[in-house]
Amino acid sequence: MSGLKSSEDRRRERELEEARKAGTIPAERDADGNEINPHIPQFMAQAPWYLNAEGPGLKHQKNLKQKGQVASATDFKPRGQKAGPAATYFRKGACTNCGAMTHSTKDCVERPRKKGARYSGKDIKPDEVTVEMAYDYAGKRDHWAQFDPAAHMDKIRAHEAEAEVRRKAAQQKKLGELAARERKRERRGKGKEGGEGDSATDTDTDGSVGPSDDEKVDEAEQVIIGQDVKAPAGKAKASVRNLRIREDTAKYLLNLDVNSAYYDPKTRSMRDNPLRGSALADASTFAGDNFQRATGDAVQMAQLQLYEFEAYEKGQSMQMNADPTTVEMMNKIYREKKEKLKDTRSNKILEKYGGQQHLAAPPKELLFAQTEDYVEYDRSGGLRAGKEKAVAKSRYEEDVLEQNHLAVWGSHFDTATFRWGYADDHSTLRN
């Protein structure tokens, strides 16, 4: 048996393998001249017997499958082209419905036959042209693959031709209606037919002619501010209460300063006056949304709501939305009783302790020390025009000089003796 190796041969192979691993001799090379790593295990380096390997190597570990051309999403793959004439008999492995060899029965696009080509052998379809292309990830999932843009232009031209025919038909219809109306006017002018009947007929004819598509106004432009827009069935109504008239300036454009009044884009509201403190505040027609809440009946409505809340806390059940008249009458009675009780309480206190004369307010000249008398002074502080302000005097005599002194008593204070005196001679003795 020549295939068996002796112990001496196995010993030599083992020594040769150890020398190659140690690097004392060069590594073994394959048929292509590439070095084989000596540290590769034997079960990986040894080729199977059924490959009939002639020499050492690692070709049996490589993937020898040939890679096809990778097609992108823009590559065109022809479809529907015939590879040649149709066969005259059914071939094994062909589609049982149409008899073509290039697709299976479940992929057949022909009409399902009552008796397929497999059993009838008639009307066998030719094979299609198939191109073997390996698509990438995007190419497999491209929904617009095989789309020809030129076909879309054909659709556009067909649509334009249809629109032109429709326009000409509408124009012919209008011309016919105008011609019929003109003929009726001529007959009415000649007096051949009754005037009343013609008038009624002409009126009906004029009313039957509706407006054209160009004369119709968009319904969105006819929406009144504050009106609910009717939505289709199954949808909620949309409110347009905060929409402004298109000709008016937007609130957020009145003052472009970032530190001005805050504008809420969600509710389209600007509560403060954007032109507060500027010269255009008086000329502007918008003073903030809160201005409307402080004018008219808004204040009275707020007072009624406050009274309703306070009454509910005290046990009374009232609803202003359901019965506003009752809430207003109850509030009126409450305010009258409150004023009467307040007057009665103050009268009792005045009767018991007195002091009615102190309730009268003093004049504004005494409260604020201001009058409307005009007085003008010069730069030096002297009086130029008007009446000088009178100095308030006390009940005691003032500016009285005693014993030939040039200063009044109390104009000097001696810090050593802690006594008052005269400023002219610093005397602390009052004669």
Side-chain angles (χ1 to χ4, degrees):
M1 298 176 64
S2 60
L4 297 177
K5 293 181 181 181
S6 62
S7 59
E8 186 67 20
D9 295 337
R10 288 195 296 269
R11 185 181 61 81
R12 289 197 197 96
E13 290 181 358
R14 186 167 56 252
E15 291 177 355
L16 186 60
E17 183 180 359
E18 290 176 357
R20 286 172 178 168
K21 290 182 179 180
T24 56
I25 61 175
E28 190 179 8
R29 295 179 179 274
D30 57 4
D32 297 334
N34 301 322
E35 292 184 354
I36 302 175
N37 191 350
H39 299 282
I40 295 177
Q42 184 180 6
F43 72 91
M44 294 179 59
Q46 187 177 5
W49 62 268
Y50 50 83
L51 292 180
N52 297 325
E54 297 179 356
L58 297 175
K59 288 186 177 181
H60 60 279
Q61 295 288 349
K62 295 182 180 179
N63 187 8
L64 300 180
K65 294 182 179 179
Q66 296 180 358
K67 294 183 179 180
Q69 181 183 0
V70 178
S72 62
T74 58
D75 292 340
F76 179 72
K77 181 178 179 180
R79 288 183 180 178
Q81 298 182 6
K82 306 303 180 182
T88 57
Y89 61 94
F90 181 79
R91 295 159 293 178
K92 185 178 181 181
C95 174
T96 59
N97 185 46
C98 66
M101 291 288 294
T102 52
H103 62 268
S104 60
T105 306
K106 63 178 182 179
D107 297 332
C108 185
V109 296
E110 293 288 335
R111 179 182 60 84
R113 304 180 184 180
K114 185 177 181 181
K115 191 175 182 180
R118 177 181 179 181
Y119 304 102
S120 63
K122 299 178 181 179
D123 194 14
I124 297 177
K125 299 297 181 181
D127 300 340
E128 297 93 355
V129 176
T130 58
V131 180
E132 296 296 336
M133 302 181 72
Y135 285 95
D136 55 358
Y137 184 86
K140 291 180 180 179
R141 294 158 180 82
D142 184 17
H143 296 285
W144 290 95
Q146 319 301 326
F147 176 73
D148 188 8
H152 184 66
M153 297 303 299
D154 296 339
K155 293 182 180 179
I156 293 178
R157 285 190 288 269
H159 179 74
E160 292 177 352
E162 184 180 355
E164 182 68 19
V165 172
R166 190 182 297 109
R167 187 184 63 81
K168 290 182 179 179
Q171 187 176 5
Q172 292 293 336
K173 183 178 179 181
K174 289 182 180 180
L175 292 176
E177 293 175 353
L178 292 175
R181 195 181 308 170
E182 188 67 25
R183 287 194 298 270
K184 289 184 178 181
R185 288 199 188 99
E186 293 178 357
R187 288 197 300 268
R188 186 169 59 251
K190 293 180 181 180
K192 294 182 179 180
E193 296 180 0
E196 296 181 358
D198 292 345
S199 177
T201 307
D202 185 59
T203 303
D204 296 341
T205 305
D206 295 342
S208 62
V209 180
S212 61
D213 296 339
D214 298 336
E215 297 175 355
K216 292 183 179 179
V217 184
D218 189 10
E219 296 180 358
E221 299 179 358
Q222 299 179 358
V223 175
I224 304 175
I225 295 178
Q227 181 183 2
D228 291 339
V229 182
K230 293 184 178 180
K235 295 185 179 180
K237 293 182 178 181
S239 179
V240 291
R241 58 183 178 85
N242 281 337
L243 290 182
R244 60 178 174 86
I245 303 176
R246 299 296 100 181
E247 290 79 7
D248 294 346
T249 306
K251 302 175 185 177
Y252 50 84
L253 296 180
L254 294 176
N255 191 355
L256 300 180
D257 188 6
V258 295
N259 297 324
S260 62
Y262 173 72
Y263 176 75
D264 188 7
K266 186 175 182 179
T267 58
R268 296 173 182 163
S269 61
M270 182 178 287
R271 297 172 178 81
D272 198 5
N273 187 2
L275 300 176
R276 185 186 300 275
S278 63
L280 302 176
D282 298 334
S284 177
T285 58
F286 179 74
D289 295 336
N290 286 342
F291 178 77
Q292 301 176 356
R293 301 179 181 179
T295 56
D297 296 337
V299 179
Q300 185 179 1
M301 179 65 68
Q303 293 177 355
L304 289 177
Q305 289 180 348
L306 181 60
Y307 170 73
E308 178 189 357
F309 298 153
E310 294 177 351
Y312 179 77
E313 292 178 356
K314 295 180 180 178
Q316 295 184 6
S317 178
M318 289 187 295
Q319 180 59 253
M320 189 175 65
N321 295 332
D323 195 1
T325 306
T326 303
V327 177
E328 187 173 359
M329 293 301 297
M330 293 295 292
N331 186 25
K332 183 178 180 181
I333 296 173
Y334 168 75
R335 285 188 280 104
E336 291 177 355
K337 289 184 178 181
K338 185 177 180 181
E339 293 293 333
K340 187 182 297 183
L341 182 62
K342 182 178 179 181
D343 296 340
T344 304
R345 186 179 302 172
S346 61
N347 292 335
K348 287 182 179 180
I349 295 175
L350 292 176
E351 290 176 1
K352 184 175 182 180
Y353 299 100
Q356 180 69 30
Q357 66 276 9
H358 300 291
L359 296 179
K364 293 183 179 181
E365 291 79 3
L366 297 179
L367 289 176
F368 306 105
Q370 296 178 356
T371 60
E372 296 182 358
D373 298 336
Y374 177 75
V375 181
E376 185 177 353
Y377 298 92
D378 55 9
R379 292 186 176 180
S380 61
L383 182 64
R384 175 178 294 180
K387 184 178 180 181
E388 189 175 3
K389 184 178 180 180
V391 180
K393 296 183 178 181
S394 64
R395 64 170 64 179
Y396 304 100
E397 296 180 358
E398 298 180 1
D399 301 334
V400 178
L401 302 178
E402 302 174 350
Q403 301 296 331
N404 296 329
H405 284 286
L406 300 178
V408 297
W409 171 258
S411 59
H412 171 68
F413 182 76
D414 191 359
T415 58
T417 60
F418 286 93
R419 298 182 64 181
W420 295 97
Y422 297 95
D424 52 355
D425 56 358
H426 296 181
S427 175
T428 59
L429 297 176
R430 188 174 185 181
N431 298 328

